[in-house]
Every structure is written in structure tokens, then in C-alpha cells.
Amino acid sequence: MNTILFAIAAYLIGSISFAVVVSALFGLADPRTYGSKNPGATNVLRSGNKAAAALTLLGDGFKGWLAVWLAQKYGPQYGIDDIGIALVAIGVFLGHLWPVFFRFVGGKGVATALGVLLGINAWLGLATLITWLVVAYAFRYSSLAALIASVFAPFYYGLLFGTDPILLAVLAMSGLLIYRHRQNIANLMAGKESRIGSKKK
Ligand code: G3P
């Protein structure tokens, strides 16, 4: 029962869409109405407001980290084990993808997944972040960087910790993240994907 409560709390934390909230606070257009129409940091950057994009990235990452951190710190006294941590990780990620507060129209999960991975283990998060940065620097596609980082993340987890329920959560996040990037994959293959920093259309 406690495990379910922790997972639901994580889902609610994940449902706070920082792209929408930050854009409203900055007086910017709703990111669901321009560019890729994705409520995420990459699309907020297309508004031209770097501070809003950075805050979106930090907020969406922080909520992923927070949910896992809370479960790790306060969970054990309520019987939260590795299965519970795995469900909390999935819960906050699902909240970002399908947020209850925003008619279930959410983002693609990159920043939140990164926050979750950092919460699980700093080295795991760092290795995944470095993978993202290297690909983003080399190719200047945010989506490609996310796709490649999401393929590597489960391997990093396996190398660090072996197979356990949390690995299944990492695999599920990667699978969902790739699924949410279907349009980006089509754009990349058609040579139509916009590069990091290009303005909104
Ligand atoms: O963070 C999501 C990113 O990987 C792609 O975003 O707006 O280009 O679809 P976007």
C-alpha cells in the first residue's frame, strides 16, 4: 500500500509541467502551440528565451531527482524497497509524459529521466548526461542526443548495479522516451529535424 502511495505521489510531482509553468511566468507563448509543440526545455529554447529554457530543464530534472530522493530517504521506514524505488521512478516519469494537471498532454521525458537517473545514482546520471552532451555537441540535435543517451543508460545501470527491479524501470523509461520521439526519429531520417538553438516556426 505504501509503495502505491509513493508511486502516486511521484506521478503527481511528475505532472507539474515546468515548460508550461515557466513559460507562463515569463509571459511567453505556451510551448504546446509552437515549434515541435512539445512542453520541454528544447522547445522552450525555440522561443528565444534561454533563461526560461534553462529553468524548464532544471525544474523538469529536479522533479525526477526529488521523487527518487524522497523515496530513498523516507521510503525505507515505510517498507519501500527496490521495487518501490522502481515504481516511483516510473511514476514521476509517467507524470511528466501524461500529466494529470495538463489534460495528460506532457513532454518527452528527457530532463525528467535524467533527474531520475541522477537520483538513483550520481555516476549513472553523470554518465548519461555526458553521453547526451557529447552527441548534442557533435550533431546539434537535442532529440538524437536523448535517443542515444537513452539507449546507453540501461547499459550504464547494468554495469554499475547488475540486474534488479530498478534496471527494469530504467529500460521502461528508455523505451517510452524513444516512443515519444517517434516524430523526431521521422524528422531525423528525413533530414528535417531542427538543430539546437534554431528559432520557433
Ligand atoms: O527534450 C525533448 C527533445 O529530445 C526533443 O524536443 O522539441 O525537438 O521535439 P523537440
Side-chain angles (χ1 to χ4, degrees):
M1 187 63 195
N2 285 337
T3 300
I4 293 170
L5 288 178
F6 267 79
I8 290 173
Y11 171 77
L12 294 175
I13 292 172
S15 288
I16 303 166
S17 173
F18 280 87
V20 178
V21 173
V22 169
S23 295
L25 289 174
F26 276 70
L28 302 172
D30 187 323
R32 294 168 296 182
T33 62
Y34 63 82
S36 65
K37 303 202 166 37
N38 184 55
T42 301
N43 203 32
V44 172
L45 186 60
R46 295 190 182 104
S47 74
N49 193 316
K50 289 183 183 158
L55 270 181
T56 300
L57 179 67
L58 285 176
D60 283 343
F62 176 72
K63 71 185 180 187
W65 177 85
L66 180 70
V68 173
W69 182 81
L70 286 172
Q72 282 174 336
K73 181 152 177 71
Y74 300 105
Q77 54 192 297
Y78 296 101
I80 304 298
D81 54 10
D82 273 3
I83 293 175
I85 301 292
L87 290 174
V88 162
I90 289 293
V92 69
F93 188 72
L94 291 180
H96 180 79
L97 265 55
W98 290 285
V100 66
F101 305 131
F102 296 93
R103 296 181 189 172
F104 303 101
V105 180
K108 296 179 183 175
V110 180
T112 303
L114 190 61
V116 165
L117 296 176
L118 281 164
I120 292 170
N121 179 267
W123 292 114
L124 172 67
L126 210 57
T128 310
L129 173 62
I130 289 170
T131 306
W132 189 97
L133 286 170
V134 167
V135 180
Y137 182 77
F139 297 100
R140 312 220 53 87
Y141 290 122
S142 176
S143 56
L144 184 66
L147 287 163
I148 293 179
S150 74
V151 170
F152 274 84
F155 286 105
Y156 294 148
Y157 187 91
L159 283 174
L160 284 165
F161 304 109
T163 47
D164 64 16
I166 299 174
L167 174 63
L168 289 181
V170 175
L171 278 166
M173 280 197 304
S174 291
L176 282 167
L177 189 145
I178 292 166
Y179 171 74
R180 291 291 274 200
H181 280 76
R182 317 188 285 293
Q183 187 58 51
N184 303 87
I185 294 168
N187 291 346
L188 283 164
M189 296 206 301
K192 289 184 191 160
E193 182 72 336
S194 68
R195 292 186 191 263
I196 294 171
S198 59
K199 294 281 163 63
K200 69 178 176 184
K201 288 189 202 108

